[in-house]
């Protein structure tokens, strides 16, 4: 990989994987000189002795968001400005998913635009599919696959609903988890009873991802981490991210982060799979 660039493109789960890979490579080359450049939308960590760059480009929906008359327009049919920064990477790992379902104050757009029409809202899975098909067409048309390897990280599960990992809602859990009904207080992975596994997170969205990648002229490599991550209800920062005030930490039912993952932790496993797919 000497002289090459690996770029993660997507939302904060892609950033989670990027941070994990920086730590893993640093542990393997502890004496290497490094340089960190933080920015928005792109941040880069360089291993100067090897000329290797690990970058994260924040693009939560992959497709463009533009401002028009003070409103944020999610352009389901366009990738323009974002894509210019992606073309020259030697390895690209894309992801998206969580932001498509956000509503209220967490929603990242005011209107959607598709086919020249503006929408205040639409079915979110349908919107995800439109956006992903735009991404897939852009990759097929703009990325030289003889020099660039393209990956797509499947949708990372969350653990906000305790019923998703109890046995018909009756499996015994810790007192803390029972009181908060999310990942707070969970200290062990989900244990499957026999050969039965949970249904899995985001089933409709996962089908969309599978379908879009299958229809590409040159399909991206799907790094399918959804089910293995679904079992790790114990792997989230919960109230221990360091970003919460004392009052927020005292209210885990509202403040616990059950979306992202601790480091060291589960994203290291994603990167072991990523490394294997990349080199073997």
């Amino acid at each position: 990989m000497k002289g090459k660039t690996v770029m993660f493109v997507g939302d904060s789960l892609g950033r989670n994987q990027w941070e994990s890979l920086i730590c893993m490579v640093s542990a393997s080359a502890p004496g290497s000189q490094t340089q960190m450049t933080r920015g928005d939308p792109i941040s880069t960590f360089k291993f100067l002795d090897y000329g290797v760059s690990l970058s994260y480009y924040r693009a939560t929906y992959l497709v463009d968001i533009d401002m028009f008359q003070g409103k944020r327009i999610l352009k389901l049919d366009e990738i323009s400005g974002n894509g210019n920064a992606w073309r020259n990477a030697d390895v690209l790992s894309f992801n998206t998913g969580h932001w498509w379902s956000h509503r209220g104050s967490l929603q990242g757009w005011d209107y959607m635009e598709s086919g020249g029409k503006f929408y205040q809202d639409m079915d979110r899975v349908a919107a995800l599919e439109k956006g992903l098909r735009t991404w897939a067409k852009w990759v097929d048309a703009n990325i030289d696959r003889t020099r660039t390897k393209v990956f797509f990280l499947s949708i990372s599960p969350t653990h906000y609903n305790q019923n998703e990992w109890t046995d018909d809602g009756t499996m015994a859990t810790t007192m803390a988890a029972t009181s908060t009904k999310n990942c707070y207080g969970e200290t062990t992975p989900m244990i499957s009873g026999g050969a039965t596994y949970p249904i899995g997170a985001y089933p409709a969205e996962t089908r969309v991802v599978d379908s879009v990648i299958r229809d590409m002229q040159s399909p991206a490599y799907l790094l399918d981490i959804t089910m293995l991550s679904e079992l790790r209800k114990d792997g989230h920062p919960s109230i221990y991210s360091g970003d919460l005030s004392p009052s927020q930490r005292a209210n885990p039912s509202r403040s616990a982060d059950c979306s992202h993952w601790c480091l060291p932790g589960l994203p290291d496993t994603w990167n072991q799979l990523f490394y294997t797919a990349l080199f073997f």
Side-chain angles (χ1 to χ4, degrees):
M1 292 298 291
K2 189 169 185 176
K4 295 186 177 181
T5 296
V6 178
M7 182 178 289
F8 294 89
V9 179
D11 60 25
S12 53
L13 278 307
R15 186 188 67 211
N16 223 173
Q17 187 182 5
W18 170 69
E19 292 169 339
S20 161
L21 188 60
I22 289 172
C23 293
M24 295 176 80
V25 176
S26 296
S28 298
S32 177
Q33 284 191 302
T34 61
Q35 179 186 75
M36 177 67 159
T37 305
R38 289 192 178 275
D40 187 12
I42 188 168
S43 297
T44 300
F45 192 97
K46 294 182 179 180
F47 292 88
L48 299 176
D49 297 345
Y50 301 92
V52 172
S53 295
L54 306 180
S55 295
Y56 165 66
Y57 189 103
R58 185 178 185 274
T60 52
Y61 301 98
L62 299 181
V63 293
D64 290 349
I65 296 182
D66 287 342
M67 294 296 295
F68 180 71
Q69 295 182 352
K71 301 295 184 181
R72 300 164 298 173
I73 311 298
L74 180 61
K75 294 179 167 287
L76 299 178
D77 305 328
E78 291 186 24
I79 292 178
S80 53
N82 280 348
N84 292 329
W86 309 343
R87 296 175 191 267
N88 295 320
D90 299 284
V91 180
L92 284 166
S93 177
F94 294 93
N95 90 290
T96 190
H98 288 191
W99 279 78
W100 293 88
S101 61
H102 287 346
R103 299 180 184 275
S105 62
L106 295 177
Q107 183 175 295
W109 47 269
D110 298 302
Y111 293 92
M112 295 183 184
E113 182 181 357
S114 178
K117 296 181 179 179
F118 292 94
Y119 300 87
Q120 284 190 312
D121 208 345
M122 69 170 66
D123 180 88
R124 299 304 181 86
V125 176
L128 170 65
E129 182 167 5
K130 286 176 180 287
L132 278 182
R133 292 201 178 277
T134 298
W135 163 82
K137 289 177 183 176
W138 186 93
V139 170
D140 278 336
N142 291 277
I143 300 299
D144 180 0
R145 302 299 287 279
T146 63
R147 68 171 294 272
T148 301
K149 295 184 178 180
V150 178
F151 292 80
F152 193 94
L153 184 75
S154 70
I155 297 174
S156 175
T158 62
H159 291 95
Y160 287 104
N161 181 1
Q162 189 188 91
N163 291 329
E164 292 175 357
W165 63 84
T166 57
D167 184 5
D168 296 325
T170 60
M171 184 183 293
T173 56
T174 66
M175 183 65 71
T178 301
S179 64
T180 58
K181 296 183 172 58
N182 61 30
C183 68
Y184 174 70
E186 295 292 341
T187 58
T188 58
M190 196 184 307
I191 304 300
S192 173
T196 303
Y197 280 82
I199 293 174
Y202 300 97
E205 291 86 345
T206 295
R207 284 193 294 271
V208 167
V209 170
D210 290 345
S211 174
V212 169
I213 290 178
R214 197 166 49 242
D215 290 344
M216 293 176 72
Q217 293 175 14
S218 183
Y221 186 105
L222 178 63
L223 197 67
D224 190 351
I225 53 81
T226 303
M227 182 57 70
L228 70 88
S229 304
E230 176 77 3
L231 300 176
R232 292 300 308 277
K233 60 184 171 63
D234 60 316
H236 299 284
S238 181
I239 62 170
Y240 304 107
S241 66
D243 296 330
L244 301 182
S245 67
S247 61
Q248 288 174 317
R249 289 197 300 272
N251 189 8
S253 62
R254 291 183 60 87
S255 301
D257 180 353
C258 302
S259 297
H260 301 98
W261 303 95
C262 295
L263 294 178
L266 180 64
D268 300 341
T269 299
W270 301 352
N271 278 323
Q272 289 176 323
L273 297 171
F274 179 52
Y275 177 89
T276 303
L278 188 57
F279 294 112
F280 297 97

